[in-house]
Amino acid sequence: MMTDALQDPELLRVAKRMVWFKPPEETLRDPVLFLNHVMTWGTVEDILVARSHFDDDDFRAALRQAHPGIFDPRS
């Protein structure tokens, strides 16, 4: 992810909602955590915002390196 993404207000808004227990800038510095949360709790709009900054390979990597306890069977 490019550092200019840390300035995108839409992405920061999504990061703040998805990972409420960390500042959004910190969340975006851990793309695996951010994408795990988006894939689990994000709306279609949240996913579209994330897709504007992350590609398929980023999403696949986030699945392979998933943080424990985030994904459930529904996710």
Side-chain angles (χ1 to χ4, degrees), residues 1-2 4-5 9-10 20-22 25-26 32-34 38 43 45 53-56 61 66 70 73-74:
M1 180 186 66
M2 302 181 72
D4 61 324
E10 287 287 312
W20 60 95
F21 52 89
K22 288 185 176 194
E25 297 83 5
E26 184 180 336
V32 170
L33 177 70
F34 172 66
V38 168
T43 64
E45 292 80 15
H53 293 279
F54 297 92
D55 62 20
D56 288 344
I70 295 177
R74 183 175 177 261

Side-chain angles (χ1 to χ4, degrees), residues 24-72:
E25 297 83 5
E26 184 180 336
T27 297
L28 292 173
R29 284 189 197 99
D30 184 352
V32 170
L33 177 70
F34 172 66
L35 291 175
N36 286 178
H37 280 258
V38 168
M39 288 187 276
T40 301
W41 293 294
T43 64
V44 170
E45 292 80 15
D46 296 331
I47 293 168
L48 291 173
V49 170
R51 294 278 301 157
S52 70
H53 293 279
F54 297 92
D55 62 20
D56 288 344
D57 289 335
D58 296 321
F59 277 83
R60 284 186 200 103
L63 285 170
R64 282 192 304 273
Q65 302 166 30
H67 288 248
I70 295 177
F71 288 110
D72 59 15

